[in-house]
Amino acid sequence: MDFPRVKTGVKGLDEMLGGGIPEGDAIAVLGGFGSGKTMFGMQFIHAGLEMGEKGIFISFEEDEKKLTTIASNAGWNFESAIDKQMLVLVRLDAADIGRSLSRAQSELPTLIRSFEAKRVVVDPITLFEMHFRDDEGRRREISKLCTTIQNSGATVVLTSEISSDNPFASKYGEIEYIADGVIILRYIRPAPLKRSILAVEIAKMRGVKHSRDVKPYEITGSGITVDFDADLF
């Protein structure tokens, strides 16, 4: 059975995915600092806007002004999309997790349904996770958040920091088990190169035949581009 696909907007990655990510799924994008996680999420939203799909970008780090500036630098007019009621930027306070949880549980479902958002990004889920003291509570609340968003019919991208001990796992090791798919952005230094390069791989994508190759990518002035024809190993 083939699923309807949602294009990420990242050239080369959609080819690795066999056309895009399954519609309605929750996808975790794992990466270290500077790997382009926020850019990935914004590019995903931009790709939807280009196709007339409404989007919601939920940030635990950046405010609306910062996000619209980053988008503008990449050539994406998020301010215009907001004015046209095609995009909503939501800032949740990671320092006040109680209030953020309340907003996520009570306001977001209504917002997503009434706005008819097709794409939702949560960036980064790590700042949401860090306020839970036990794994059980952390997994329960993340799962609830994902379910809340997915029940609206939206496709979800959740960015997450990687573990300091394992570049193939998230910081708390939870989101990759909850998400339907996992994309890893990381630095590698293949011999004989003396410089690090950025590489992407698809760790899992439920129900979808996808590439298992590791491909190099670049963060350019107009977003992320994956070199689909290059082989690293």
Side-chain angles (χ1 to χ4, degrees), residues 124-140:
I125 195 67
T126 312
L127 293 183
F128 182 83
E129 294 178 284
M130 68 184 292
H131 290 277
F132 298 98
R133 295 183 178 180
D134 61 276
D135 292 341
E136 182 180 350
R138 183 178 297 115
R139 179 172 291 199
R140 181 180 62 249

Side-chain angles (χ1 to χ4, degrees), residues 25 83 86 89 127-129 142 159 173 186 196 203-204 207 225:
D25 275 6
D83 291 341
M86 292 295 294
L89 302 181
L127 293 183
F128 182 83
E129 294 178 284
I142 297 172
T159 71
R186 62 189 177 99
S196 295
K204 79 169 184 178
T225 301

Side-chain angles (χ1 to χ4, degrees), residues 7-26:
K7 292 189 178 298
T8 65
V10 177
K11 184 180 178 181
L13 181 61
D14 286 323
E15 287 83 348
M16 292 178 69
L17 289 163
I21 60 181
E23 185 178 34
D25 275 6

Side-chain angles (χ1 to χ4, degrees), residues 194-212:
K194 296 182 179 180
R195 63 180 180 87
S196 295
I197 62 174
L198 291 164
V200 60
E201 60 183 291
I202 303 163
K204 79 169 184 178
M205 200 63 57
R206 288 175 185 158
V208 171
K209 184 178 181 181
H210 59 83
S211 171
R212 293 285 181 180

Side-chain angles (χ1 to χ4, degrees), residues 38 67 74 138 141 209:
T38 298
L67 291 171
R138 183 178 297 115
E141 293 301 332
K209 184 178 181 181

Side-chain angles (χ1 to χ4, degrees), residues 145-193:
L145 178 62
C146 288
T147 301
T148 294
I149 299 173
Q150 287 180 280
N151 282 346
S152 72
T155 304
V156 193
V157 165
L158 308 104
T159 71
S160 175
E161 295 176 18
I162 57 171
S163 165
S164 58
D165 300 320
N166 183 357
F168 301 99
S170 66
K171 185 172 183 177
Y172 294 101
E174 298 288 347
I175 189 62
E176 53 266 51
Y177 294 99
I178 296 170
D180 300 296
V182 177
I183 297 171
I184 300 174
L185 309 176
R186 62 189 177 99
Y187 292 94
I188 61 173
R189 185 175 291 173
L193 293 182

